[in-house]
């Protein structure tokens, strides 16, 4: 049996270091572009000088260190985390006798502040791996820059099987890097389908692997309210799908904590005044009764339901949300909240006599003016309790004026009458900071390599002045979950969101070839598989052992499955154990 185990370990070692490669769709249409070398990072660094000089790393002795690790848990945890990511199979490697040994990587940070990430943080870093020295260095102003540098360093390391041995290798390299945009987000809807905490945590890891830095959490919607409220416990008792489909406040704190360790902000969205039917299950007075003729609570299907939008005429509505936002402010650590305000359909308001009477008293002549009344009061409430705020573009489309410090998220896609670039330009001219999502709706799927269209989208590709383009502070990929749950969300997001991540991080002049990018993206997809992210393929090909199991980590984390597989194969083929061993 010992011989069998040795054979299995050898096979495990050989498979683990197999090379990954994307292939053509048809022989008559070979892949174009320049194939990347192993150890090519994603997203592409701003300045990257890579030499042919190669160094070797020893898992047992390599030092990944920082003088600041005792002062900041973010750095301390990152050093431990990245050691595990770099040396994911240390027992099967040796030091290459043909290369100089890289013995250490030292991380130096000039500003050791160790709080929570925020908009505009400095993520600049330099990384130096000289060919003539046994030591490499990372230098960053902030811990956030150091995190991005460690991610890049982990991606530069590659493995090679030679003469029956496996080696960790890295090329002598100099990198100076910083992001193009300060806001690089990923939106997930947890109301249409409840996404379990472990999946959200796994997604945070994937975001860090791609240098995304904002998790926009669309928590509630018409279908459910899954966030535990201590102040209003009935919200989840009647608004969640079940007692099991709830994010406890301890869950939220854990998600925020793990996000912080990876330099990721968590921005909650409580969408109002529409998308609020789940609130009415516990607090029916919050909703506007919709009328058909003189009868209240009547649905006019395809126009409105029985009651589905907040009642903006009642002070009760504003006090309720002031109390709820205050509780959320104490739970979430980011300075921003997303207030939603999209898809406010006025037909229910128009049908309600109480709303019409209120509009007369307030001298509000149109539904747009009523919507503006609601937006101003709600933004003032958020501001009063210490929040900064984001909204979807819809109110501005209708001519609603909101505070100049409101960040506006553009989400509507182009059609025959409009394109999203015009929307961005219009909002930027009003001096609002803009987040672009229109071209990055990951829930929309199509056959083929749709990542290419995401990769080609540039948030600043509109006709405008340089000053206007500076108002675009980033972008965000969106995953709505009407047809997505924990079974397919990670593979639906990744690596398609990786294309968005590179567009938001890297300079467009260096990333204008999808032909070249496909090879780095394929390597990155295999890297994510190795790290436990079930990222879907970008085309035909293989990723070593990770095509052979439904769990990308199982070959690495458990030899038992491989033992069962080998024994089964040996039995099936009737191989005589004694003859082999």
């Amino acid at each position: 049996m010992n011989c069998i185990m040795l054979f299995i370990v050898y096979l495990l070692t050989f498979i683990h270091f197999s090379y990954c490669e994307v292939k053509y769709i048809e022989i008559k249409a070979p892949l174009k572009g320049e194939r990347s070398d192993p150890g090519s990072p994603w997203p592409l660094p701003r300045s990257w000088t890579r030499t042919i000089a190669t160094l070797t790393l020893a898992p047992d002795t390599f030092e990944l260190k920082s003088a600041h690790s005792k002062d900041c848990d973010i750095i301390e945890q990152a050093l431990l985390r990245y050691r595990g990511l770099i040396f994911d199979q240390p027992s099967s490697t040796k030091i290459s006798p043909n290369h100089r040994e890289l013995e250490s990587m030292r991380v130096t940070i000039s500003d050791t502040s160790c709080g929570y990430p925020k908009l505009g943080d400095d993520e600049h870093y330099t990384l130096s791996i000289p060919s003539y020295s046994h030591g490499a260095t990372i230098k960053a102003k902030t811990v956030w820059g150091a995190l991005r540098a460690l991610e890049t360093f982990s991606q530069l390391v590659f493995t090679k099987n030679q003469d029956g041995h496996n080696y960790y290798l890295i090329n002598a390299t100099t990198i100076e890097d910083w992001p193009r945009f300060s806001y690089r987000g990923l939106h997930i809807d947890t109301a249409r389908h409840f996404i379990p905490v472990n999946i959200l945590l796994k997604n945070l890891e994937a975001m860090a692997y791609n240098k995304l830095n904002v998790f926009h959490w669309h928590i509630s919607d018409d279908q459910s309210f899954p966030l535990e409220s201590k102040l209003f416990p009935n919200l989840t008792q009647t608004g969640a799908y079940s007692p099991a489909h709830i994010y406890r406040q301890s869950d939220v704190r854990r998600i925020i904590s793990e996000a912080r360790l990876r330099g990721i902000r968590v921005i909650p969205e409580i969408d109002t005044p529409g998308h609020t039917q789940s609130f009415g299950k516990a607090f029916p007075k919050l909703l506007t009764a919709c009328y058909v003729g003189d009868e209240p609570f009547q649905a006019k299907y395809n126009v409105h339901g029985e009651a589905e939008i907040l009642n903006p005429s009642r002070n009760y509505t504003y006090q309720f949300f002031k109390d709820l936002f205050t509780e959320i402010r104490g739970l979430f650590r980011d300075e921003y909240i997303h207030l939603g305000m999209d898809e406010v359909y006025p037909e229910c308001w128009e049908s309600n006599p109480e709303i019409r009477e209120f509009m007369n008293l307030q001298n509000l002549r149109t539904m747009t003016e009523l919507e503006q009344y609601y937006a101003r009061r709600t933004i003032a409430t958020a501001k009063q309790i210490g929040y900064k705020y984001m909204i979807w573009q819809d109110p501005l489309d209708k001519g609603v004026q909101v505070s100049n410090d409101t960040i506006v998220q553009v989400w509507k896609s182009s059609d025959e009458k409009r394109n999203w670039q015009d929307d961005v330009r219009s909002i930027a001219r009003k001096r609002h900071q803009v987040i672009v999502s229109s071209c990055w709706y990951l829930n929309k799927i199509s056959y083929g390599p749709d990542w290419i269209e995401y990769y080609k989208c540039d948030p600043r590709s509109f006709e405008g002045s340089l000053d206007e383009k500076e108002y675009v502070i980033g972008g965000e990929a969106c995953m709505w979950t009407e047809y997505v749950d924990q079974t397919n969300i990670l593979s639906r997001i990744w690596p398609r969101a990786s294309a968005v991540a590179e567009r938001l991080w890297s300079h467009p002049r260096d990333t204008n070839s999808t032909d070249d990018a496909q090879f780095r993206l394929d390597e990155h997809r295999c890297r994510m598989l190795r790290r436990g992210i079930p990222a879907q393929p970008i085309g035909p090909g293989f990723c070593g052992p990770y095509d052979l199991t439904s769990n990308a980590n199982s070959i690495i984390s458990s030899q038992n499955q491989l033992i069962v597989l080998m024994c089964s194969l040996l039995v099936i083929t009737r191989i005589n154990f004694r003859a082999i061993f």
Side-chain angles (χ1 to χ4, degrees):
M1 188 62 184
N2 289 338
C3 293
I4 296 176
M5 288 301 297
L6 288 173
F7 176 72
I8 290 172
V9 170
Y10 173 79
L11 181 61
L12 179 66
T13 300
F14 174 77
I15 290 177
H16 174 67
F17 290 94
S18 296
Y19 187 69
C20 62
E21 185 177 351
V22 65
K23 296 285 189 178
Y24 46 79
I25 297 291
E26 296 179 304
I27 295 176
K28 64 183 179 181
L31 295 179
K32 300 177 182 179
E34 183 177 348
R35 289 188 176 271
S36 56
D37 294 323
S40 295
W42 188 284
L44 190 71
R46 184 66 62 103
S47 173
W48 177 27
T49 303
R50 179 175 183 169
T51 73
I52 60 173
T54 306
L55 297 88
T56 183
L57 295 80
D60 294 337
T61 59
F62 179 80
E63 289 188 285
L64 188 58
K65 56 187 178 180
S66 174
H68 315 294
S69 60
K70 295 182 179 180
D71 302 324
C72 179
D73 62 328
I74 294 174
I75 295 301
E76 180 183 24
Q77 292 295 318
L79 296 179
L80 294 173
R81 189 168 64 250
Y82 278 103
R83 169 170 283 280
L85 291 173
I86 294 168
F87 302 117
D88 53 9
Q89 192 71 8
S91 61
S92 62
T93 58
K94 294 179 62 176
I95 300 175
S96 172
N98 302 320
H99 301 95
R100 177 188 292 271
E101 182 181 356
L102 181 64
E103 298 177 351
S104 66
M105 166 63 80
R106 184 177 183 84
V107 181
T108 303
I109 307 166
S110 56
D111 180 357
T112 57
S113 301
C114 196
Y116 285 83
K118 59 184 183 301
L119 181 64
D121 280 331
D122 188 328
E123 297 174 275
H124 184 282
Y125 69 89
T126 58
L127 188 156
S128 177
I129 307 169
S131 61
Y132 53 82
S133 173
H134 294 286
T137 60
I138 285 172
K139 295 182 179 180
K141 181 178 179 181
T142 68
V143 295
W144 319 118
L147 287 177
R148 309 309 173 217
L150 285 167
E151 177 59 40
T152 300
F153 176 64
S154 74
Q155 296 184 16
L156 293 172
V157 177
F158 62 98
T159 54
K160 184 176 182 181
N161 182 283
Q162 187 174 349
D163 301 327
H165 299 291
N166 296 299
Y167 306 107
Y168 283 106
L169 303 174
I170 193 168
N171 288 92
T173 301
T174 301
I175 288 176
E176 184 175 7
D177 198 15
W178 64 94
R180 183 185 180 200
F181 293 105
S182 59
Y183 188 109
R184 306 179 306 280
L186 177 61
H187 160 288
I188 293 180
D189 161 22
T190 60
R192 275 54 179 264
H193 278 102
F194 181 88
I195 307 300
V197 171
N198 67 309
I199 300 296
L200 295 179
L201 293 174
K202 182 65 69 176
N203 188 68
L204 290 175
E205 294 176 9
M207 290 177 65
Y209 303 154
N210 290 270
K211 297 187 173 73
L212 294 177
N213 67 350
V214 179
F215 169 31
H216 171 180
W217 191 350
H218 184 90
I219 296 174
S220 63
D221 215 291
D222 288 326
Q223 292 79 3
S224 73
F225 189 94
L227 176 64
E228 178 188 30
S229 169
K230 303 289 188 181
L231 190 61
F232 302 111
N234 286 350
L235 278 175
T236 49
Q237 289 173 9
T238 60
Y241 286 136
S242 81
H245 294 81
I246 293 174
Y247 299 106
R248 307 295 177 186
Q249 293 198 2
S250 58
D251 296 327
V252 174
R253 284 190 286 268
R254 182 184 176 194
I255 289 169
I256 293 171
S257 175
E258 293 298 323
R260 168 183 172 268
L261 292 175
R262 291 159 179 79
I264 298 171
R265 302 164 57 202
V266 181
I267 298 179
E269 179 186 351
I270 304 297
D271 197 356
T272 68
H275 296 277
T276 51
Q277 208 260 343
S278 61
F279 286 92
K281 295 175 183 178
F283 299 96
K285 289 198 303 182
L286 288 172
L287 300 186
T288 303
C290 305
Y291 279 67
V292 174
D294 295 329
E295 293 296 321
F297 297 102
Q298 298 297 311
K300 188 176 182 181
Y301 292 119
N302 296 321
V303 178
H304 58 70
E306 296 174 354
E308 63 177 37
I309 189 169
L310 294 184
N311 190 324
S313 68
R314 296 174 178 172
N315 287 329
Y316 171 80
T317 301
Y318 301 99
Q319 184 61 52
F320 177 91
F321 281 96
K322 180 180 180 181
D323 294 340
L324 180 63
F325 290 163
T326 300
E327 182 180 17
I328 290 173
R329 183 78 175 95
L331 180 60
F332 287 82
R333 303 303 295 263
D334 200 81
E335 58 187 349
Y336 277 86
I337 187 172
H338 200 299
L339 298 172
M341 299 194 184
D342 62 314
E343 297 180 322
V344 177
Y345 303 121
E347 288 82 3
C348 180
W349 279 347
E350 289 177 334
S351 73
N352 185 289
E354 178 187 352
I355 298 295
R356 294 197 300 269
E357 181 180 358
F358 172 79
M359 291 177 65
N360 288 333
L361 291 173
Q362 295 292 329
N363 197 27
L364 302 174
R365 296 168 296 174
T366 66
M367 290 297 125
T368 296
E369 291 181 356
L370 178 61
E371 190 172 342
Q372 179 159 308
Y373 175 89
Y374 175 83
R376 284 181 172 174
R377 285 198 65 172
T378 302
I379 287 175
T381 295
K383 195 170 189 176
Q384 183 181 358
I385 63 177
Y387 257 131
K388 298 180 181 179
Y389 24 82
M390 301 171 60
I391 63 172
W392 301 103
Q393 72 180 83
D394 302 53
L396 281 79
D397 290 346
K398 300 176 182 178
V400 172
Q401 297 180 4
V402 295
S403 303
N404 291 334
D405 56 355
T406 306
I407 296 178
V408 180
Q409 187 165 358
V410 174
W411 67 274
K412 295 182 179 179
S413 58
S414 301
D415 56 31
E416 295 179 357
K417 298 181 180 180
R418 64 189 293 167
N419 62 65
W420 64 263
Q421 290 93 337
D422 290 340
D423 293 338
V424 174
R425 179 179 57 187
S426 173
I427 295 169
R429 287 179 174 176
K430 295 175 182 177
R431 299 298 187 260
H432 288 292
Q433 290 183 320
V434 180
I435 303 296
V436 175
S437 292
S438 298
C439 47
W440 293 323
Y441 264 45
L442 303 179
N443 50 292
K444 298 180 180 180
I445 59 175
S446 60
Y447 185 79
D450 53 0
W451 71 268
I452 292 177
E453 295 305 314
Y454 302 144
Y455 196 75
K456 290 180 178 179
C457 178
D458 189 325
R460 290 179 175 166
S461 61
F462 62 93
E463 295 182 2
S465 66
L466 292 177
D467 179 62
E468 288 168 349
K469 292 187 177 185
E470 286 297 316
Y471 280 95
V472 179
I473 60 172
E476 185 172 278
C478 293
M479 176 54 73
W480 300 94
T481 60
E482 291 92 342
Y483 305 101
V484 171
D485 65 7
Q486 74 274 12
T487 65
N488 62 346
I489 188 170
L490 291 177
S491 60
R492 186 70 61 85
I493 292 175
W494 306 105
R496 297 156 81 230
S498 300
V500 182
E502 181 153 288
R503 180 57 57 233
L504 293 173
W505 180 280
S506 307
H507 198 287
R509 67 165 178 261
D510 303 321
T511 53
N512 55 14
S513 171
T514 56
D515 292 336
D516 291 345
Q518 66 182 325
F519 298 108
R520 284 189 303 107
L521 181 57
D522 180 62
E523 179 185 358
H524 188 54
R525 180 251 171 174
C526 290
R527 181 186 296 125
M528 286 194 286
L529 282 181
R530 189 169 74 244
R531 296 178 177 186
I533 307 300
Q536 68 180 23
I538 67 168
F542 66 96
C543 278
Y546 312 107
D547 303 321
L548 306 178
T549 173
S550 60
N551 183 344
N553 271 339
S554 64
I555 288 183
I556 297 173
S557 62
S558 173
Q559 295 183 3
N560 292 334
Q561 291 184 19
L562 187 57
I563 292 172
V564 172
L565 173 63
M566 283 300 302
C567 291
S568 299
L569 290 174
L570 291 172
V571 170
I572 291 170
T573 55
R574 298 181 181 179
I575 295 178
N576 189 309
F577 283 73
R578 293 183 180 274
I580 295 177
F581 301 105

